[in-house]
Amino acid sequence: MIRRQIPGLSLTGLFAALWLAVPLPAVAATHFIVVEGLGGTRGYTERFRNQVEKMLPVLRRTAGRDSLVHVLAGTEATGGRIGAVFEELRRAVAPGDALAVFLIGHGSHDGRHYKFNIPGPDFTDDQLKGWLDAVPAARQLVVSTTSSSGGALETLKSPRRIVVTATRNGRERNATVFGQYWVEAFSAASADTDKNESISALEAFRYAESKVKAHYADNKQLATEHPQIQGERAGGFLLARLGAAAELARDPEKRELLDQREELERRIADLTLRKDDLPQNEYLDALQALLLELAELQERIDADGGSARGEKQ
Amino acid sequence: MTRRVLLAVSAGFLLAGVQAAHGQRGSERGFRSADLEPCDAHHDRGRIAQAAECYRLVLRGGDPAAQAEAHWQLGDLKSANDRFREAVRLDPENPDLRVRWGHLYIHSHQQQEAATLFQEALEIDEDHIPAQLGMARVLASRFEGKAVELVEEALEERPRQAEGHLLLARMALEEGDLEAARESLESALRNARDLGMAPLETYSLLASLEMLEGDPDNDWVSKALEYNPRYGEVYSDQAHFYVITRRYREATERLRRAVDVAPRLWRAHAELGVNLMREGHDEQGRRHLEIAYEGDPYSAKTVNTLRLLDTYDRFETFASGDPEGPEGPRAFVRLDREESDLLLPYVLDLTERAIAEFSAKYQFELQRPVRVELYPNHDDFAVRTMAMPGIGLLGVTFGYVVAMDSPTGREPGGFHWGTTLWHELAHVFTLESTDHLVPRWYSEGISMYEEWKADPRWGEAVTPEYIDAVRKGELLPVADLDRGFIRPRYPGQVAVSYMQAGYVCQHIAGHWGEAKLVELLQGFAKDRPTGANIREVLGIAPEEFDKQFGAYMKQELGAAYDGLPRWRRRLKAALEAAREKDWEGVLEPAREAREAYPQHVGTGSSYSLLASAHNELDNREAAIEQLQEYERRGGRQPATLRKLARWLEEAGRDDEAAYTYHGLLYNWPQDEETHVRLGELYLEAGRTALARREFEAVLALDPLDRASAEYNLARAYVKIGDLAKARLHVLRALERAPTYRPALQLLLQVKR
């Protein structure tokens, strides 16, 4: 006989599920700024350009309006232009809105300050902090995929901000691969771990982090970057909608059914919170009943709208 | 850590009795004060109390070197170290002092520090024979071939000595050259008598020699114990040679006698502890290791093995088959709890397959279950192989106990655990069916051969080093092949000997038939030497066999026999073209490189280059063909094989893709994608039990996308028809991801 334990549902997993399931306050709009820094070589320039090009359609779809996505690349990505965009947002953004900033390129750290490489003088973490602080959005996300980006973590820390960096600190100076996987996460079904057909900042981070780790292991290289995330509720910061979710979001006729589904999800979350207090069979039966209800509701959503459905690829 | 610090930080301890270190203390191991002679005389005769009293008197004298020796004999190594340091400070140009100090370090298991002191002595006097011999002793303890050279030089310079002959005898015994050992020991015995030295070590080695000739309780054992009734070394030396020849049970019995005769012989306790563990008796082993540690805390082997034992609560043991059934389990597998869910199904399956296959082929039924241990921490595994001859070992077999690295402790592609386990399990049969009398070369040869037979993708591919050795005539005669494993004469000889031994077995199987391999094994079980066994079973003189084998090897290597220069040249050209992305330009030189050395599947293989070139030139079929040949010849790069599997899937060749993914399990089982894809392919092909195994492996890897992993497992259970388990897993998927549509649909399917 083989002695084996049947793995149970871990508490960590449960909390993660709940965390992602708990509805977050609706935001009026999400504003995106994408800055493509200097590549230095043709290879890096092409790589950064590709990453930005892959990200833009996704962000535009998430934002709902192209005007909410600001892109600064090539000669446009100067300190002056970037500052001007932040200034514009400082005036346009409402406190209930969200702001996400993506820095794609190379970075450096001089022992005191993180710098992002752009045409003309580089901007520092202090400057970036000033720009961000001035924008009233209550929910902010800053992602730097550059070398040395971890050097900005401390400076950018804020209760209303999630900060994602490719490196652990400013001393990790080698060019990174994090950006490539961060962008890949926006369209990867396996990054959508709660299967809600949306990719949150937390899901994208976890996906990219695991891919970076695998990248160095596969290539038998010592890892020269260790991605970091700081700040709370990254699971609720929506970055991308996949497939049907994107279409549903634009379909007002579905609203009632979607509200019912949201209510069911809330009840499931409540139940999972009480999991440890219930006998296992009772818990599973109750969970199954709610899920069957949800499954039937989902069939109605899928049948009524005629939207493309099915398993994501 | 320097020697000075190391001993200073270790707790000093003074034993009431006298340390067991006998004979040969005189000028051949560095000059010692004449004041010690009467004490040594008591000591060598086993008169412990008198010896101790005598050494204590020496401590009252003013000579720090003599005091050091007395402290050493009284067991206070810290004070001995301090006094040697003082003696060297007072007389820094005296090489003998450094040699004596070096021997203290050998005694306290610090060979490197000892070597440094011998080197310092040689810098003072480059012809200093005791320093040369000391260095040779250190090298011999590491099984380095250079030791023989050094001793021969010392003997040429000073033929009338015992030490050099004893060292040569010890090395000859380790290599199984009993004739040479006897010759050296006769010289040692004669010279020891002429020089008035205690003959104990000579007696001891003669006792070992006759033991290896089949008579363990010979007259030399009695003579040694008559000379000194507390001379436990006579047994521990015998045990050493039993261990060298992998006869662990016999070694244990000798070591038990050693500690009976000399309860303070700490290294015998340590060896006994380690040996008991090799037999699977961990708790008994621990007791002796603890005794050894109390008496001798300087032994890294003792300390590390005790530390390893302390980690065993992290491990869990699983039985194969039905332990409650009439036959009981055939194997136990010990795995780290952290990885047992992932590895257990594969390790058990392979172990059971190997046992079934080898039992039938070698006509031997195991007498007890095999125990297979996998260590995710290489250092833990390394403790198991400490002080054993060989190269960087991946696995080791002590009879019914197999210990090896776990794949999770190694880089992807750097370690093929499947072929390693298969190799080690073949050893279980060659060792146990011959009562451990099989020579090392034959046991390794059978294991190498069985790897190649098990799967064309397994086993080692021919290396350039091996081809060079064949061309230069460096392969050993079959009757002497064991020498290549114990004390290599040139770098890489151990690896060359492994491969030669494998090819010898392959040649025998091909030319005379596989049954002859079994007959040879049975001959070895009768303690027949290699030459006689070859003659008896194959009907050919070993010298004639060597000639035939040379011709076979040349034929087997084919174009590679003289293709290496061309291969290097053309591969370089192909690599340069690939760097420039000149894919058309890659084709011709890469093809020529492949033809010159088709067995090469290491880094930068021509197959990978050709595959990349064909793929870039939109000829996917040709690219696949190259990678399949790479795989068939034993190519192991996981990224390359995964690419092949993906290409095969894209080409709709699902069975072939599954074959490739399945091969990866034995190379890189921690790759999530391999399990997911293989699970899908199995599910598609209706091989539901295998699909379930793969999806369970995904869950064991604690994947980021756990909901998908649970859902996939639920799908497998649906196909198997176990709806209760399907329900459980689909609920687990949905608990994490309530809006996961395919899982919701599956739930409806399960409940409708």
Side-chain angles (χ1 to χ4, degrees):
Chain A
M1 186 187 291
I2 299 169
R3 286 185 291 125
R4 295 193 66 184
Q5 290 182 327
I6 297 171
L9 288 169
S10 72
L11 271 181
T12 322
L14 179 61
F15 284 136
L18 287 174
W19 178 249
L20 299 176
V22 171
L24 295 155
V27 290
T30 302
H31 304 257
F32 293 99
I33 302 177
V34 181
V35 186
E36 181 194 316
L38 289 174
T41 64
R42 200 174 70 182
Y44 281 117
T45 304
E46 280 175 12
R47 187 188 297 184
F48 299 151
R49 177 66 41 89
N50 279 341
Q51 289 172 12
V52 170
E53 282 175 0
K54 275 186 188 163
M55 199 162 39
L56 285 180
V58 181
L59 298 182
R60 286 181 179 135
R61 197 159 62 168
T62 306
R65 275 179 287 156
D66 290 0
S67 60
L68 296 181
V69 181
H70 306 266
V71 187
L72 295 144
T75 51
E76 282 289 290
T78 60
R81 283 289 303 128
I82 296 165
V85 170
F86 273 102
E87 174 57 22
E88 188 186 318
L89 290 181
R90 185 182 69 76
R91 285 184 264 115
V93 168
D97 288 352
L99 170 69
V101 179
F102 302 99
L103 307 177
I104 312 288
H106 293 301
S108 61
H109 195 268
D110 61 10
R112 290 177 61 220
H113 290 292
Y114 165 72
K115 291 177 184 171
F116 181 72
N117 302 166
I118 48 172
D122 296 342
F123 68 77
T124 68
D125 48 0
D126 276 350
Q127 272 175 290
L128 179 61
K129 179 184 181 325
W131 290 331
L132 288 163
D133 287 351
V135 179
R139 303 268 300 131
Q140 296 188 348
L141 167 70
V142 187
V143 181
S144 174
T145 68
T146 77
S147 41
S148 297
S149 47
L153 278 166
E154 198 52 40
T155 309
L156 297 180
K157 192 183 270 183
S158 161
R160 62 184 174 122
R161 190 172 301 141
I162 300 154
V163 184
V164 170
T165 61
T167 75
R168 184 159 44 205
N169 51 46
R171 293 185 300 281
E172 292 187 329
R173 293 191 173 97
N174 292 344
T176 62
V177 295
F178 177 78
Q180 163 192 338
Y181 296 115
W182 171 264
V183 173
E184 191 177 288
F186 286 22
S187 56
S190 60
D192 178 20
T193 54
D194 63 355
K195 306 297 171 194
N196 65 351
E197 300 190 327
S198 304
I199 304 293
S200 69
L202 184 62
E203 285 175 322
F205 174 78
R206 284 188 177 155
Y207 177 87
E209 182 190 33
S210 73
K211 290 285 181 181
V212 166
K213 203 171 162 187
H215 172 91
Y216 286 99
D218 288 3
N219 291 292
K220 297 184 182 177
Q221 291 170 343
L222 195 67
T224 51
E225 60 191 291
H226 299 85
Q228 303 291 306
I229 186 164
Q230 135 186 313
E232 293 184 354
R233 301 177 72 189
F237 202 109
L238 177 70
L239 289 179
R241 290 195 177 95
L242 303 174
E247 292 175 38
L248 279 173
R250 288 198 289 268
D251 185 351
E253 290 176 16
K254 300 287 181 195
R255 199 58 256 165
E256 191 183 335
L257 292 174
L258 292 175
D259 287 347
Q260 285 178 34
R261 190 175 75 177
E262 211 165 87
E263 171 58 22
L264 269 173
E265 285 179 59
R266 238 192 306 270
R267 287 167 61 195
I268 291 167
D270 287 346
L271 175 67
T272 51
L273 264 184
R274 293 186 291 125
K275 179 181 180 180
D276 291 342
D277 303 330
L278 296 170
Q280 196 195 5
N281 283 343
E282 197 179 313
Y283 167 75
L284 289 175
D285 288 346
L287 181 65
Q288 181 179 296
L290 288 170
L291 286 167
L292 283 170
E293 213 178 314
L294 184 61
E296 278 158 9
L297 179 64
Q298 188 64 51
E299 279 194 336
R300 282 173 56 207
I301 294 171
D302 292 347
D304 287 353
S307 306
R309 295 288 182 265
E311 199 168 343
K312 287 177 288 185
Q313 297 303 309
Chain B
M1 192 181 289
T2 68
R3 59 182 178 268
R4 289 152 184 87
V5 177
L6 187 63
L7 280 183
V9 297
S10 304
F13 56 96
L14 187 64
L15 301 176
V18 175
Q19 287 292 287
H22 305 264
Q24 262 84 28
R25 284 191 218 80
S27 60
E28 290 172 10
R29 290 188 189 170
F31 175 80
R32 297 167 83 245
S33 164
D35 294 350
L36 295 158
E37 285 173 11
C39 315
D40 294 343
H42 286 306
H43 181 260
D44 290 343
R45 288 290 186 171
R47 297 188 291 267
I48 302 300
Q50 294 96 316
E53 194 181 333
C54 179
Y55 287 126
R56 281 192 203 101
L57 284 173
V58 173
L59 289 180
R60 292 183 199 159
D63 175 2
Q67 288 171 334
E69 298 282 356
H71 279 304
W72 178 0
Q73 294 306 322
L74 288 165
D76 183 357
L77 302 189
K78 180 181 178 299
S79 298
N81 187 52
D82 290 344
R83 298 317 294 156
F84 271 129
R85 188 186 306 111
E86 176 64 8
V88 167
R89 191 185 67 77
L90 294 172
D91 189 4
E93 294 304 311
N94 181 345
D96 283 282
L97 288 175
R98 291 178 197 267
V99 171
R100 291 305 306 154
W101 199 3
H103 279 285
L104 174 70
Y105 275 98
I106 289 181
H107 180 85
S108 56
H109 319 278
Q110 295 170 78
Q111 310 288 346
Q112 190 52 49
E113 293 296 323
T116 305
L117 282 159
F118 296 137
Q119 186 58 42
E120 287 171 8
L122 286 168
E123 280 162 19
I124 295 166
D125 174 2
E126 63 180 358
D127 298 322
H128 197 260
I129 301 284
Q132 279 179 26
L133 292 169
M135 189 64 91
R137 189 167 277 271
V138 170
L139 294 175
S141 72
R142 296 176 186 157
F143 302 98
E144 288 183 26
K146 175 91 178 148
V148 177
E149 209 178 295
L150 275 178
V151 175
E152 283 171 349
E153 276 174 27
L155 279 171
E156 201 172 316
E157 192 66 29
R158 189 193 292 177
R160 204 157 162 270
Q161 58 160 308
E163 176 77 355
H165 292 295
L166 286 170
L167 278 169
L168 282 186
R170 194 174 278 279
M171 290 187 275
L173 287 173
E174 285 171 348
E175 289 168 19
D177 187 348
L178 305 189
E179 211 174 304
R182 184 172 288 283
E183 202 178 308
S184 294
L185 287 171
E186 280 166 3
S187 302
L189 194 60
R190 197 171 48 246
N191 288 336
R193 275 180 193 149
D194 292 351
L195 296 166
M197 293 162 67
L200 281 166
E201 190 173 342
T202 316
Y203 288 172
S204 181
L205 292 181
L206 281 162
S208 292
L209 168 67
E210 295 199 356
M211 175 201 78
L212 291 173
E213 289 172 340
D215 179 13
D217 296 313
N218 53 65
D219 289 347
W220 295 108
V221 176
S222 314
K223 278 190 182 183
L225 292 174
E226 276 164 24
Y227 195 93
N228 178 350
R230 292 171 182 266
Y231 192 64
E233 285 91 334
V234 70
Y235 291 121
S236 62
D237 273 344
Q238 287 186 316
H240 170 74
F241 295 108
Y242 270 141
V243 168
I244 290 285
T245 50
R246 308 202 266 190
R247 295 168 69 181
Y248 305 108
R249 276 190 289 279
E250 288 88 343
T252 296
E253 185 269 336
R254 293 286 116 177
L255 288 164
R256 286 194 194 281
R257 291 193 192 205
V259 298
D260 280 349
V261 169
R264 312 186 86 86
L265 190 55
W266 312 123
R267 62 186 70 206
H269 279 290
E271 275 303 324
L272 180 54
V274 167
N275 225 48
L276 284 163
M277 285 176 65
R278 286 173 181 152
E279 292 184 72
H281 307 307
D282 294 347
E283 278 317 303
Q284 283 185 51
R286 180 194 288 275
R287 279 202 293 280
H288 285 282
L289 285 159
E290 280 171 353
I291 293 169
Y293 180 73
E294 284 302 309
D296 174 11
Y298 299 100
S299 164
K301 189 177 194 173
T302 305
V303 172
N304 289 336
T305 310
L306 280 168
R307 281 187 188 149
L308 174 66
L309 278 166
D310 289 344
T311 68
Y312 276 0
D313 57 358
R314 276 203 334 252
F315 288 76
E316 199 168 357
T317 302
F318 306 88
S320 79
D322 179 9
E324 311 300 325
E327 289 181 5
R330 303 186 83 181
F332 291 102
V333 175
R334 178 184 276 179
L335 298 170
D336 190 304
R337 287 174 203 279
E338 292 284 309
E339 59 184 28
S340 58
D341 279 346
L342 172 66
L343 296 179
L344 183 66
Y346 306 104
V347 177
L348 270 185
D349 173 62
L350 198 59
T351 302
E352 285 168 0
R353 269 200 286 145
I355 290 173
E357 186 167 328
F358 296 146
S359 298
K361 183 185 270 188
Y362 294 102
Q363 299 161 30
F364 178 74
E365 282 300 320
L366 296 176
Q367 304 301 300
R368 56 182 250 217
V370 177
R371 189 167 94 186
V372 176
E373 303 169 356
L374 265 69
Y375 294 93
N377 179 352
H378 178 72
D379 290 345
D380 289 341
F381 165 66
V383 172
R384 287 296 232 158
T385 59
M386 271 179 81
M388 294 186 71
I391 46 177
L393 297 168
L394 306 170
V396 64
T397 302
F398 306 109
Y400 283 103
V401 175
V402 170
M404 57 183 274
D405 274 324
S406 159
T408 60
R410 295 251 177 169
E411 285 174 351
F415 175 55
H416 195 295
W417 73 269
T419 200
T420 303
L421 179 56
W422 197 261
H423 177 110
E424 296 306 329
L425 287 166
H427 279 312
V428 174
F429 284 82
T430 47
L431 287 170
E432 291 302 333
S433 69
T434 60
D435 205 13
H436 291 228
L437 289 173
V438 64
R440 172 89 185 262
W441 79 265
Y442 195 68
S443 193
E444 297 297 356
I446 289 285
S447 286
M448 295 285 284
Y449 169 71
E450 288 297 348
E451 287 182 75
W452 291 327
K453 286 276 290 178
D455 191 312
R457 298 169 289 183
W458 290 14
E460 293 304 315
V462 177
T463 58
E465 292 73 23
Y466 183 71
I467 297 169
D468 276 341
V470 174
R471 287 178 58 82
K472 289 179 190 163
E474 287 177 344
L475 298 189
L476 290 166
V478 68
D480 293 335
L481 193 42
D482 257 8
R483 271 202 288 125
F485 290 91
I486 303 289
R487 189 163 283 106
R489 265 29 176 213
Y490 60 87
Q493 192 182 18
V494 176
V496 166
S497 299
Y498 267 89
M499 191 142 287
Q500 183 187 346
Y503 275 119
V504 165
C505 291
Q506 184 170 287
H507 176 48
I508 292 168
H511 190 78
W512 284 275
E514 235 181 15
K516 291 293 179 191
L517 291 178
V518 183
E519 278 185 50
L520 280 167
L521 200 59
Q522 288 161 348
F524 286 125
K526 293 174 188 150
D527 209 7
R528 209 184 274 153
T530 294
N533 208 17
I534 295 260
R535 196 174 277 115
E536 175 76 25
V537 175
L538 305 182
I540 184 175
E543 297 77 15
E544 183 55 31
F545 179 91
D546 290 333
K547 267 191 215 157
Q548 279 193 19
F549 177 70
Y552 163 77
M553 207 58 256
K554 190 172 175 186
Q555 189 189 343
E556 184 69 20
L557 290 177
Y561 181 78
D562 46 21
L564 289 187
R566 186 156 153 261
W567 167 69
R568 288 192 181 102
R569 219 171 36 246
R570 300 312 288 149
L571 189 64
K572 190 172 173 224
L575 284 166
E576 278 167 6
R579 217 174 357 256
E580 296 301 316
K581 299 196 187 315
D582 172 10
W583 301 113
E584 281 288 355
V586 167
L587 294 176
E588 194 188 329
R591 278 191 196 118
E592 286 176 13
R594 182 190 60 193
E595 280 156 21
Y597 179 14
Q599 298 94 332
H600 181 251
V601 286
T603 309
S605 79
S606 44
Y607 299 104
S608 298
L609 280 171
L610 282 166
S612 299
H614 284 307
N615 191 52
E616 292 291 336
L617 295 168
D618 288 330
N619 189 349
R620 178 62 70 80
E621 276 305 302
I624 287 176
E625 197 183 317
Q626 291 306 316
L627 288 191
Q628 285 191 313
E629 186 61 14
Y630 165 83
E631 179 186 36
R632 195 186 65 74
R633 289 183 174 276
R636 286 185 189 164
Q637 270 304 315
T640 306
L641 293 170
R642 209 165 57 176
K643 181 163 65 185
L644 169 62
R646 272 199 299 263
W647 284 353
L648 286 165
E649 274 197 273
E650 284 165 22
R653 294 158 69 175
D654 287 357
D655 287 350
E656 291 164 272
Y659 173 81
T660 299
Y661 281 128
H662 182 259
L664 272 166
L665 297 176
Y666 298 98
N667 188 6
W668 191 20
Q670 55 273 53
D671 180 42
E672 188 182 322
E673 184 185 326
T674 295
H675 293 288
V676 172
R677 294 309 315 148
L678 189 55
E680 288 292 345
L681 290 169
Y682 281 150
L683 205 57
E684 194 70 26
R687 303 171 75 180
T688 48
L690 289 174
R692 182 192 61 189
R693 184 180 76 174
E694 296 315 313
F695 292 139
E696 279 178 342
V698 177
L699 276 175
L701 284 164
D702 192 15
L704 194 63
D705 186 1
R706 202 170 179 95
S708 288
E710 295 281 8
Y711 164 69
N712 284 334
L713 188 53
R715 286 164 61 217
Y717 276 118
V718 168
K719 287 268 178 84
I720 288 167
D722 187 342
L723 295 187
K725 286 217 171 91
R727 170 187 176 257
L728 180 70
H729 287 285
V730 79
L731 287 176
R732 283 179 175 166
L734 288 164
E735 185 182 44
R736 287 173 177 273
T739 58
Y740 186 13
R741 289 175 196 209
L744 286 170
Q745 283 160 6
L746 189 69
L747 180 64
L748 287 171
Q749 184 188 333
V750 169
K751 294 316 297 175
R752 274 172 184 164

